[in-house]
Amino acid sequence: MFHVQSDSFHIRKVRPAHAGHARPGDGALRRVRGRASPVVPRSGRGACGALAGRVARGMVDGTDLVRRTGCAGRDPQAHRQGGAVHQRLGYSADGVGAGRASFLYMVACIARKIFRELAGVVRRACPWPGRPIQMGGAVGAGFHALWRPAAPHALTGSPYVVAGAVAGLAAAFGAPAAGVLFAFEEMKSRRDTSLIVAACASAIGAHLMIRIVFGMGRILPFAGFEAPPLSSFWIVALEGAVFGVLGVGYNKTLLWLHDREAGQTLIPDRWRALPPLLLAGCLALFAPLLIGGGESLIIFVGEHDVALKTLILLLAFKYLFAQYSTVASIPGGLLMPILCLGALWGRLWAELPVSALAAHGLASGSVQPYVLFGMVSYFAATVRAPLTGIVLVTEMSGTYTCLPGSLLAGLIACKVANLLHCPPVYDSLKERIRL
């Protein structure tokens, strides 16, 4: 039997079972952490066991996890989905015979460490808000199993899972009210008193924690934006209609790219994350604003004057990078990239139509609020959760004076997307889950 110790983890050879009692995976080489050497089973017993195994390996995105466990009528099974369920790199290998030298075990150990660090680079280059939602839902599932031992796997509609997801979103975005709306508008949780109280309490607790204990402020410093005059609200309504069409285009291109990437055979599944990794490295060197969730890019286009050509290039590269990272199974999410793309489209709207109308005296006021209206309408058209998007952007930016315009743009964008018969992006991705 072999036992090789390294700095952060060790590799052990699993002892074969007795004859007649061999189990799949015996004699396999696995990467484990700590001295206890826990080995996560490849498949659990039942749906919840499979989900727990994939959560432990970091294969389930936060939004997809809480949608599968916290909403009514959905089976909490762990599947593999582009952008929501992610391919793991180098976490297991076939067993090697006892005659191999220990040097091979050390090589495997080093290779797994390298792949782990490379995957971390990709994760840091991709959006982060899905992870707090996942962690919140997982903590809620733990409390459910602790306080309801009679039914530890009955996670459908569990108030603990819903409250944990709400707290995660409220802490990640600094938006407690949006977190509560997310639970009932996007997760489609049942609307009863106990669940509403649990969601509100968790959102308030998470908000107080990040504000008082950690001293974190708003993500977007846009509180000084002035709302456009009422005479320009027809431009806001027109922006909502146009962005409804743009949101439908985003959904369709994402699904088309997802289908093409899922059907390709050139790159093996274990190497699917390599092209986004290389692209993220190039962008980190030459255009660091394009990596990450996009809050820095939103602030940049919202507070600074940007040349038109630069704005178009930023929009094109962010659009392609966000979509390809999603379909290539890179851990992250969709919420923050959608808001970032909405801000870029909104700034482009302010630079072209609004500026042209202002030159002819048909528009007045600042062009900055149209960035916020673009975020709201783009989110409402793609996710099809207009109230969550409106309140989320308002709380993130603190621009309560722009709330009437956000309501107008968001509701119109959602209505236009529904008239075009395009399903929400999360529902469309769920239908393409690969079992």
Side-chain angles (χ1 to χ4, degrees), residues 257-296:
L257 188 60
H258 177 275
D259 295 339
R260 300 288 82 75
E261 200 277 339
Q264 62 87 24
T265 58
L266 181 62
I267 304 176
D269 283 348
R270 66 178 60 187
W271 297 102
R272 293 172 66 207
L274 183 59
L277 168 66
L278 299 177
L279 181 58
C282 295
L283 292 178
L285 291 176
F286 301 103
L289 281 176
L290 294 175
I291 64 174
E295 61 275 6
S296 300

Side-chain angles (χ1 to χ4, degrees), residues 6-231:
S6 66
D7 293 337
S8 58
F9 58 87
H10 64 274
I11 301 297
R12 62 184 176 89
K13 184 79 179 305
V14 181
R15 177 174 298 178
H18 295 289
H21 297 85
R23 298 185 302 273
D26 285 345
L29 181 66
R30 298 188 181 180
R31 182 185 74 90
V32 292
R33 287 181 174 275
R35 296 187 177 275
S37 303
V39 178
V40 180
R42 291 185 180 272
S43 60
R45 295 180 179 178
C48 295
L51 177 63
R54 284 163 172 78
V55 170
R57 291 193 294 263
M59 296 173 61
V60 182
D61 174 67
T63 304
D64 187 70
L65 171 66
V66 298
R67 284 168 61 86
R68 294 171 192 273
T69 58
C71 58
R74 297 181 186 263
D75 188 18
Q77 297 189 13
H79 304 293
R80 185 165 172 253
Q81 170 184 338
V85 184
H86 314 294
Q87 178 71 21
R88 57 194 178 95
L89 294 175
Y91 279 68
S92 63
D94 295 332
V96 285
R100 296 291 184 95
S102 60
F103 173 75
L104 296 179
Y105 290 92
M106 184 62 67
V107 171
C109 174
I110 296 174
R112 281 159 180 76
K113 181 68 175 177
I114 293 174
F115 278 115
R116 176 177 173 272
E117 295 300 328
L118 292 177
V121 173
V122 178
R123 284 195 295 269
R124 287 189 292 270
C126 293
W128 47 264
R131 304 174 202 169
I133 299 175
Q134 175 190 6
M135 290 187 291
V139 171
F143 277 105
H144 176 92
L146 180 64
W147 290 340
R148 293 188 179 180
H153 302 308
L155 297 177
T156 301
S158 171
Y160 303 104
V161 176
V162 174
V166 169
L169 190 144
F173 290 96
V180 176
L181 288 174
F182 173 83
F184 300 101
E185 188 178 29
E186 175 59 24
M187 293 174 59
K188 298 177 177 61
S189 304
R190 67 182 189 277
R191 297 175 178 85
D192 57 22
T193 304
S194 61
L195 198 56
I196 294 175
V197 171
C200 293
S202 63
I204 294 173
H207 187 66
L208 293 178
M209 179 65 68
I210 63 171
R211 284 298 179 91
I212 298 177
V213 177
F214 296 101
M216 299 174 62
R218 300 188 188 277
I219 297 178
L220 305 177
F222 294 161
F225 285 9
E226 296 182 358
L230 292 177
S231 59

